[in-house]
Amino acid sequence: KLLSILLALIIIATISIPVFATGNEWVMDKSQVLSKETEDYIKTLNEQTFANYKNKPQLAIVVIDYLPTEYSMDEYKLRLFNKYGVGTKEENCGMLFVLATKSRDYGFEIGNGYKKGSLLRRDLSADFVTGEIRTALSSEKWDEAIILITKHLEKIQADEEAGVYAAKEVELAKQEEEMNAALAKI
C-alpha cells in the first residue's frame, strides 16, 4: 500500500500542477478563510478558462496564518512555486499568490514563461494590488481580497490572450523608434 501511495505521488509530481491537501489542487487554505465559492471559482478559472489559452496560465493560491520563521516572503513564495510546479512545464506561465493572514503579508510569484521585459511581465510582477484589494486586506476580508485578486489576474490573462499586450508593445516600440529618430536629428 505504501508503494502504491509513493507511486501515485511521483506521478502527480510529474504532471506540473500544484497538488494541495484541500481537494482543490489550485488552492491551499490552511487558515480556512476562503469560501467554497472562491475555491471553486479559482478551480474553474484554471481548468476551463486558462486551460484554453495559448500560454496555458495557471493560478495557485496559498493562504496560511504565518510565514515559516526561516523564510522571507520572497523565499517562501519561490520555494512553493517551484515545489508545486505552478505553470505547465512547456509554457511555464504559472502564477502563485501567497497570503499570510496573521502576519499580514503577501507575495506574488510568476513563471519564466512570462517573457522578461514584456508589458505582461511588468503588470504581473508589479504590485498590482489595487486600492479595493488593499481595503479588503486591511479589513481582513480575506475571501473578498482573494476573489478580487483572482478576477484582476483573470482580466490580465484575458487581455494577453486577446493580444492587448502585444499591441501595446508594438505601439511602445514604434514610439521609441520615433523618439530615437527625432533625437538623431538634434
Side-chain angles (χ1 to χ4, degrees), residues 18 25 68 82 90 94 102 139 149 154 156 159 179 185:
E25 61 272 8
N82 290 327
E90 299 77 25
K102 298 212 188 300
S139 301
I149 288 164
E154 178 181 17
I156 289 172
D159 286 349
M179 185 185 315
K185 292 180 181 179

Side-chain angles (χ1 to χ4, degrees), residues 1-4 13 21 32 37 39 50 78 83 91 117 121 127 130 132 142-143 147 157 166 178 182 186:
K1 185 172 181 170
L2 182 59
L3 184 58
S4 297
Q32 298 183 351
E37 291 79 18
E39 289 188 22
F50 287 171
L78 182 59
K83 177 181 179 180
E91 305 297 336
R121 178 175 259 293
D127 186 11
T130 64
E132 185 179 22
W142 311 123
D143 189 67
I147 199 69
Q157 292 300 319
E178 290 170 356
I186 296 177

Side-chain angles (χ1 to χ4, degrees), residues 11 34 40 44 50 57 71 79 82 94 100 112 116 120 123 125 138 152 167 173:
I11 291 168
L34 301 181
D40 289 347
T44 300
F50 287 171
Y71 298 110
R79 182 177 174 86
N82 290 327
N112 289 331
K116 295 191 186 321
L120 179 63
D123 267 11
S125 61
S138 65
H152 183 69

Side-chain angles (χ1 to χ4, degrees), residues 2-3 9 11 13 15 18 23 29-30 34 70 74 78-79 84 86 96 110 114 118 127 131 135 140 151 155 158:
L2 182 59
L3 184 58
L9 289 173
I11 291 168
I15 60 174
D29 181 14
K30 289 189 174 185
L34 301 181
E70 66 271 20
D74 285 341
L78 182 59
R79 182 177 174 86
Y84 290 113
V86 183
L96 171 67
I110 61 174
Y114 296 107
S118 71
D127 186 11
T135 298
E140 298 184 1
K151 288 185 179 204
K155 181 180 180 337

Side-chain angles (χ1 to χ4, degrees), residues 7-151:
L7 182 58
L9 289 173
I10 290 169
I11 291 168
I12 289 169
T14 62
I15 60 174
S16 297
I17 58 173
V19 179
F20 299 133
T22 64
N24 180 338
E25 61 272 8
W26 307 104
V27 177
M28 179 171 59
D29 181 14
K30 289 189 174 185
S31 295
Q32 298 183 351
V33 296
L34 301 181
S35 67
K36 180 171 178 3
E37 291 79 18
T38 295
E39 289 188 22
D40 289 347
Y41 187 87
I42 294 164
K43 182 175 184 166
T44 300
L45 179 65
N46 279 299
E47 295 176 359
Q48 293 179 13
T49 304
F50 287 171
N52 294 311
Y53 284 6
K54 67 178 181 254
N55 65 344
K56 307 288 187 236
Q58 294 178 342
L59 171 63
I61 303 289
V62 174
V63 183
I64 55 177
D65 290 334
Y66 297 98
L67 280 175
T69 55
E70 66 271 20
Y71 298 110
S72 68
M73 177 55 83
D74 285 341
E75 294 166 332
Y76 187 68
K77 66 185 171 104
L78 182 59
R79 182 177 174 86
L80 286 181
F81 187 86
N82 290 327
K83 177 181 179 180
Y84 290 113
V86 183
T88 63
K89 188 175 185 177
E90 299 77 25
E91 305 297 336
N92 198 12
C93 288
M95 301 171 287
L96 171 67
F97 186 81
V98 178
L99 173 63
T101 58
K102 298 212 188 300
S103 52
R104 301 178 67 85
D105 196 5
Y106 65 85
F108 185 62
E109 189 67 39
I110 61 174
N112 289 331
Y114 296 107
K115 297 188 180 13
K116 295 191 186 321
S118 71
L119 290 173
L120 179 63
R121 178 175 259 293
R122 281 188 251 161
D123 267 11
L124 289 172
S125 61
D127 186 11
F128 64 88
V129 178
T130 64
E132 185 179 22
I133 295 168
R134 230 177 240 104
T135 298
L137 288 168
S138 65
S139 301
E140 298 184 1
K141 294 179 180 175
W142 311 123
D143 189 67
E144 181 182 333
I146 294 298
I147 199 69
L148 289 169
I149 288 164
T150 301
K151 288 185 179 204

